[in-house]
Structures are given as structure tokens and as C-alpha cells.
Amino acid sequence: MNNEFSWYTLPTVQSKDHSIVFKLCFLGNSIHSILIYDASPRFGTSWGQHCQSSEQARAQSTLDWLEQSSDEQSRIIPANLHCGYDEKSGFGACSIRF
């Protein structure tokens, strides 16, 4: 892409009905952001199946998983976490920017 961004995808985390993907984005040698999303097939697996409501549900499912993934005392949800549907990319996810 001729830019300084590098993306690394970690192995998918399978948890009940969630397939959680973590993508790390580096700018040069520093972490720039983390993208987290539910890759479950129920939200579609191709652009031919794309719809805004499914992507909004994907973002909500990801947030639900984050909230349920730890007990209440140890739950850490960063203040810079953003979950929702991005109209520009047409994708629903959670992200953390640094």
C-alpha cells in the first residue's frame, strides 16, 4: 500500500457463538490501533451478504463478548474503546487507538 502501516492478525478466539478476531496495526515501530470484531458467519462472510444492520449487530456482538469475557472485578475496558458501525468502511467492530 506504500505506507508505513503494518497489520498483524492474531489467531481467532472461539468462544461459544463468537469468533473473535484481533488485528494489530503498527505505524512504523509503534502500535497504532487494535481492531476487534466478531467474525461469526451469522454476520455474513462476503460483500454480497453485506448490510448495515448486520454490521451494527457485529459491533454489538463484539462489545457484548468484551463485556462478558471477564468477571466484573477484573474487567478492564479501556476508555479509548470505540464500538460501532463505520459508514466509510462499511464494517462493524470495536477499536482501540493509541
Side-chain angles (χ1 to χ4, degrees), residues 6-78:
S6 299
W7 286 88
Y8 297 92
T9 305
L10 301 179
T12 301
V13 175
Q14 296 295 331
S15 175
K16 294 185 181 177
D17 61 343
H18 300 277
S19 297
I20 303 297
V21 175
F22 292 85
K23 289 189 174 194
L24 308 177
C25 178
F26 290 85
L27 177 57
N29 293 326
S30 299
I31 190 154
H32 176 267
S33 61
I34 301 172
L35 182 67
I36 308 163
Y37 63 92
D38 190 343
S40 297
R42 68 182 183 273
F43 301 114
T45 57
S46 70
W47 280 110
Q49 299 172 319
H50 178 271
C51 73
Q52 183 175 343
S53 61
S54 289
E55 292 302 323
Q56 289 169 331
R58 181 191 310 272
Q60 185 60 53
S61 177
T62 305
L63 180 58
D64 292 345
W65 180 84
L66 285 168
E67 290 177 340
Q68 297 168 6
S69 63
S70 61
D71 63 41
E72 204 165 305
Q73 292 179 343
S74 64
R75 183 178 302 143
I76 299 172
I77 296 182

